[in-house]
Amino acid sequence: MPGTISYTEALREALDEELGRDERTFFMGEDVGAFGGIFGEAAGLQQKYGKERVFDTPISETFIVGGGVGAAITGLRPIVELQFADFVSVAMDEIYNKAAKWRYMHGGLFKVPLVIIAPEGAMGGAGPEHSQCPEALFWSAAGLYVLTPATPADAKGLLKSAIRDDNPVLFLPHKALGNTTGEVPEGEHLVPLGEAVVRRQGGDVTLVAWSAMVLKALEAADRLAEEGIEVEVIDPRGIRPFDFETVLRSVEKTGRVVLAHEAPLPGGPGSEVAAVIAERAIASLEAPVRRVGAPDVPVPQSAHLERFVVPQTEDIVNAVREVAGSAVTV
């Protein structure tokens, strides 16, 4: 029987279960110890597993990830946390060059079973350095997995699978989803990495949405159904590995596609997906590909202005209407 829990509770359950299952795992980061994590995701874990397995670090993102890489290649299975995903830029060399590439650079002499948790996204005016969605920066990070859970079930199942995987994983929960709730299967719950999920079936328009935009996409699909437009909503659950086959099958069925993400349009996750659709499914398209994303500006400090930058349900509704009513011209 599934139980209903919050997104944050799902993350905490995943950490708790994996720390309890495998003594090689440990969790380190800023304030993950006695404080229990900046968003409460590690509450009670240091008390349960001790200060040698759940502990605080200095404010040094380079050390946090670099130390995790070092522990991973010597046989441990570290879970490390950056308080905000924006800080991946501070630790970029350790993530992009070391964690992602070292297994290949050293001829497979060792594995890098490292999970880097880094909450992303805008949530009430945290400003341009604490609100970004940087997943698309890692489209070219060969060797690295990048996950963006949208539901409590995926938050738990993807995190547990990531901790057990031998590849380095950048795990990007969305801060604004922390209090959302949903059903999570009881008992052992794992979600395969690199498999998209069709959240809603539809035959008129394919709508691919990432992270918090998945909930807005489903809300938009409900509204559009009242107008007679049936939208197929696909959650790719991340960008690496990316399940292009599920997206392409849907595009071949509908002939129309909208890509929705919170990151800016230039260089956002939709750019690569649009390129692959153009390469592999352009003959199926009945209308130009449409993207919904933030404008090409930093996220404002003002919570009021932030709402005008972060894409809303109405933006998705308008984009789908536009695509549904247009056609490719030659």
Side-chain angles (χ1 to χ4, degrees), residues 72-83:
I73 67 176
T74 54
L76 298 176
R77 306 189 72 86
I79 310 158
V80 306
E81 182 176 278
L82 306 179
Q83 285 192 336

Side-chain angles (χ1 to χ4, degrees), residues 97-162:
N97 288 324
K98 305 302 189 293
K101 298 182 175 72
W102 270 13
R103 184 176 179 180
Y104 299 90
M105 290 172 62
H106 295 83
L109 288 176
F110 47 73
K111 301 170 183 175
V112 190
L114 166 68
V115 175
I116 306 161
I117 299 174
E120 70 170 11
M123 188 184 71
E129 296 180 339
H130 296 77
S131 304
Q132 299 170 92
C133 291
E135 57 265 26
L137 293 176
F138 298 95
W139 267 120
S140 62
L144 182 71
Y145 285 10
V146 183
L147 308 178
T148 57
T151 67
D154 273 9
K156 180 175 181 178
L158 286 172
L159 181 53
K160 284 170 65 69
S161 295

